[in-house]
Amino acid sequence: MALLLARAGARAMPEPYLRIDATTYFAWGTLFYAPAILVAWLLACDVVWLLARALGGRPDFGAVLTAMAAAVGVGTLGTLVPDLVTSPLRMLGVIDEAAWETSISQHTGWFAFTWFWLVAYVLLFLVAFPLAVRHSTGLRGPAAAVTGVVAFGVFQAVEYLVLR
């Protein structure tokens, strides 16, 4: 998607924390999105494993990696759907880039569409991560839920800092 957005001349909105010019951000994103997501996933897995151990569990790290990878895949659907819809249309000029940016900044149509899917993204992760924790560590109830939410916070913090 980053390559499509780079070809569309898209600008990163809001400005990225990384000191990469907003006009070339997506071109660079083709190189650093995947490694950033992998780092976020690995750190979230570390958090799950450490918290499960602290709560008296004996988690298998391989099981944690597998379950959390599936949870990341499910959660990521919340951003994949709008990206699959809008990125090709923006690249082809069907959606005018200036109109897109205006809609986002003025909170109109595309803003509502994007935020609907961002809320879906958060909800998917807040369900998938605790389920992955429960499945991979044997933690139950509040312990699995809190561990999953903390792991999502770590995952999202890395993505937010690196990807925006």
Side-chain angles (χ1 to χ4, degrees):
M1 294 304 117
L3 181 59
L4 297 177
L5 293 172
R7 296 209 33 159
R11 291 179 42 86
M13 293 177 64
E15 287 283 327
Y17 290 108
L18 298 176
R19 295 295 41 169
I20 298 172
D21 182 58
T23 59
T24 60
Y25 175 82
F26 290 111
W28 286 106
T30 61
L31 300 175
F32 69 77
Y33 274 20
I37 293 168
L38 287 173
V39 167
W41 163 67
L42 285 171
L43 286 174
C45 290
D46 292 339
V47 166
V48 167
W49 190 85
L50 289 169
L51 287 175
R53 292 282 302 191
L55 293 169
R58 295 197 175 273
D60 174 66
F61 195 65
V64 171
L65 288 171
T66 302
M68 293 297 286
V72 168
V74 168
T76 302
L77 290 174
T79 57
L80 183 62
V81 171
D83 282 345
L84 284 174
V85 170
T86 62
S87 298
L89 296 176
R90 290 164 70 187
M91 183 190 77
L92 295 171
V94 174
I95 299 173
D96 178 68
E97 193 59 33
W100 167 269
E101 290 178 12
T102 299
S103 178
I104 296 297
S105 64
Q106 293 182 358
H107 303 180
T108 58
W110 287 115
F111 175 84
F113 174 81
T114 301
W115 271 96
F116 170 84
W117 286 103
L118 289 176
V119 169
Y121 167 88
V122 170
L123 293 175
L124 286 168
F125 270 103
L126 289 176
V127 170
F129 267 35
L131 287 175
V133 168
R134 181 177 176 171
H135 176 75
S136 66
T137 67
L139 294 178
R140 299 285 182 252
V146 169
T147 300
V149 169
V150 169
F152 174 62
V154 169
F155 178 87
Q156 195 56 52
V158 171
E159 282 203 338
Y160 189 73
L161 289 172
V162 177
L163 305 182
R164 266 186 294 198

